[in-house]
Amino acid sequence: MLREAGTRIGMIAIEPATRRRIRLNGTSSPEADGVRIALDQVIGNCPKYLQKRDHILLPPDRGGRRTAVRRGAELTTVQQLTLATSDSFFIATASPDGDADASHRGGNPGFLQVLSPTRLRWPDYAGNAMFLTLGNLELHPQAGLLVPDWETGDLLQLSGTAHTVWDGAEAAAVPGAQRIVEFRIEAVQETRDAVRLRWSDPDFSRFNPPVAPG
């Protein structure tokens, strides 16, 4: 897909050690040695809700071996625990015209709630007020989530649909939430030892709202 000319691409470049992140959206074109992205949007985001971490790059024989891939239509018990204790994930959305975007969501462990093996919800905290993610979801609810395991290098990919709950009363029950986003899972892929990077324990963002006891 990436090597097809004209594919719309949404990316995010993130440096946890400095809490820097930039969203990069554009169009792909194949090259002899890879893919070139012609950018039409470069958006700097603030460091809110991004946990600070330092990284270690393991040698190829110790990391990034992709030792197992598991696919399914719902979360296993272990995967549910992974999500319920996560402090970060990434969400991919697109407009009805196919303009793609990728964004980061973060908070204290527990901010991402597992309602069932096929349903998640999370608070939408105050951000950059551009509403790229929420705007896309209003018009095109298909979305993908990427949840990294910073310690093991495992990756959990979820595909499904999302919608925003704009009811202020419901958001008021969740500390720091301005809105609530609910996600219904349609497909799950877990890749063990997917990347060579390993990360230190997090230094949690001072902007993270408290998480109400579940």
Side-chain angles (χ1 to χ4, degrees):
M1 187 73 174
L2 286 178
R3 296 190 63 83
E4 294 180 9
T7 298
R8 304 295 297 168
I9 304 295
M11 304 179 293
I12 183 166
I14 190 166
E15 188 177 55
T18 61
R19 293 193 168 102
R20 294 176 181 169
R21 54 182 167 175
I22 303 174
R23 288 155 86 164
L24 306 159
N25 301 333
T27 306
S28 71
S29 59
E31 300 283 335
D33 57 350
V35 177
R36 181 184 296 272
I37 308 296
L39 298 175
D40 51 40
Q41 285 186 318
V42 179
I43 305 167
N45 285 165
C46 73
K48 282 184 177 180
Y49 323 122
L50 181 56
Q51 324 321 330
K52 184 177 180 180
R53 287 178 163 94
D54 294 314
H55 77 276
I56 299 172
L57 181 62
L58 297 180
D61 62 338
R62 292 182 52 206
R65 295 167 295 176
R66 301 191 178 189
T67 53
V69 176
R70 179 187 184 125
R71 296 181 176 89
E74 62 181 35
L75 298 168
T76 66
T77 301
V78 173
Q79 290 168 346
Q80 292 179 56
L81 179 61
T82 297
L83 295 178
T85 56
S86 175
D87 60 56
S88 304
F89 68 91
F90 302 90
I91 179 169
T93 62
S95 73
D97 294 329
D99 293 326
D101 181 71
S103 185
H104 165 269
R105 292 293 184 269
N108 287 332
F111 88 105
L112 177 58
Q113 295 179 287
V114 179
L115 304 181
S116 79
T118 58
R119 292 179 59 225
L120 308 175
R121 73 187 317 221
W122 61 86
D124 187 60
Y125 298 139
N128 57 22
M130 297 184 71
F131 291 91
L132 293 178
T133 299
L134 298 187
N136 283 343
L137 292 178
E138 282 296 297
L139 300 174
H140 184 69
Q142 291 294 133
L145 306 187
L146 176 67
V147 186
D149 187 316
W150 304 92
E151 182 178 351
T152 66
D154 296 351
L155 293 177
L156 190 58
Q157 296 168 266
L158 310 175
S159 300
T161 57
H163 78 277
T164 305
V165 179
W166 299 92
D167 182 357
E170 188 164 347
V174 181
Q178 297 192 332
R179 291 153 293 271
I180 301 295
V181 180
E182 296 188 346
F183 185 79
R184 184 169 294 277
I185 296 168
E186 297 174 355
V188 179
Q189 177 172 306
E190 180 182 10
T191 305
R192 307 296 297 273
D193 192 18
V195 296
R196 291 167 57 194
L197 290 171
R198 300 293 186 270
W199 299 86
S200 64
D201 291 338
D203 176 9
F204 291 107
S205 171
R206 63 185 177 89
F207 296 102
N208 289 351
V211 173

